[in-house]
Amino acid sequence: MILHGYWRSGTSYRTRIALNLKGLTYDQAGVDLRTGDQHSDAFLALNPQGLVPALEVDGQVLTQSPAILEWLEERFPEPPLLPTGLGERAQVRAMAALVACDIHPLNNLRVLKAVKALNGDANDWAAGWIRPGFDALEALIARHGDGWAFGDTPTLADCCLVPQIYSARRFEVDVSAWPRIAGIEARAAAHPAFQAAHPDAQPDAD
């Protein structure tokens, strides 16, 4: 497997977490979004959308992190990142989508550049989407969590949430306002799979 990603990208980060939780070995190819590597002919040949991550595996290229995470769960079912019950699986997917669909896309690099071009404050913009999203997640974790976002083991929800916590801190959002989310952050900091996936631990990190 070759993971093409950017060390600080939340979508690359969540993919690394899932790969690590599954105990999979993979190589990394850095794509520096700041310098436009994602628009090179070589990368566009892999992913015509010009976004990270892209996972080369089994003679194909997988893109879009939610699709990659679902593929990993189906291809490598142990340890599971989704619970067994149909309704419970839907709850975990909903929590993951809350981050992946409703928070992250509004504070990724492309959007922040557009905000700055309009003379907006990137931190205020990002925080304006993170805070209500975390309010909802905190309530869902209170309902379903037992140490992690859902239950007592990491799931796809945690793969998405932990990188968003990292982004929240970058945008000067005080995570202590959500004690259950802060607790997951602390638990992830002590977990080898999450430690190895952290942006600072990546070979292309500044």
Side-chain angles (χ1 to χ4, degrees):
M1 291 189 194
I2 303 175
L3 177 64
H4 299 261
Y6 174 55
W7 64 280
R8 207 162 57 186
S9 153
T11 53
S12 300
Y13 189 176
R14 70 176 67 137
T15 304
R16 293 193 300 265
I17 292 171
L19 287 163
N20 294 345
L21 286 170
K22 295 291 187 181
L24 299 171
T25 300
Y26 57 98
D27 295 324
Q28 292 200 64
V31 181
D32 195 331
L33 304 184
R34 298 165 299 183
T35 59
D37 285 356
Q38 69 274 29
H39 302 305
S40 69
D41 291 342
F43 187 71
L44 289 174
L46 288 173
N47 182 4
Q49 194 178 11
L51 298 177
V52 294
L55 183 67
E56 288 190 82
V57 58
D58 293 349
Q60 58 185 331
V61 179
L62 306 178
T63 62
Q64 289 291 342
S65 61
I68 295 172
L69 267 57
E70 290 281 355
W71 181 90
L72 289 170
E73 181 70 357
E74 293 180 9
R75 177 68 176 79
F76 304 99
E78 296 295 331
L81 299 180
L82 286 170
T84 56
L86 187 63
E88 294 173 331
R89 294 164 76 87
Q91 292 287 354
V92 169
R93 287 185 171 109
M95 295 169 82
L98 198 160
V99 173
C101 300
D102 295 334
I103 302 176
H104 173 266
L106 291 160
N107 54 76
N108 66 23
L109 185 60
R110 292 184 302 162
V111 172
L112 294 178
K113 283 184 176 179
V115 170
K116 289 178 180 177
L118 296 171
N119 297 318
D121 186 294
N123 281 13
D124 286 347
W125 168 269
W129 301 105
I130 292 170
R131 290 192 180 102
F134 277 14
D135 286 343
L137 279 166
E138 185 79 1
L140 290 169
I141 294 166
R143 187 179 303 171
H144 301 293
D146 184 15
W148 293 94
F150 190 102
D152 59 1
T153 59
T155 66
L156 295 183
D158 301 288
C159 293
C160 292
L161 173 58
V162 169
Q164 191 60 60
I165 299 171
Y166 172 83
S167 291
R169 292 199 176 279
R170 283 184 56 221
F171 298 123
E172 301 177 0
V173 175
D174 183 5
V175 178
S176 66
W178 303 278
R180 290 178 178 85
I181 289 176
I184 291 170
E185 178 187 38
R187 204 159 285 110
H191 193 297
F194 288 84
Q195 290 173 341
H198 193 279
D200 293 346
Q202 304 318 303
D204 58 332
D206 288 348

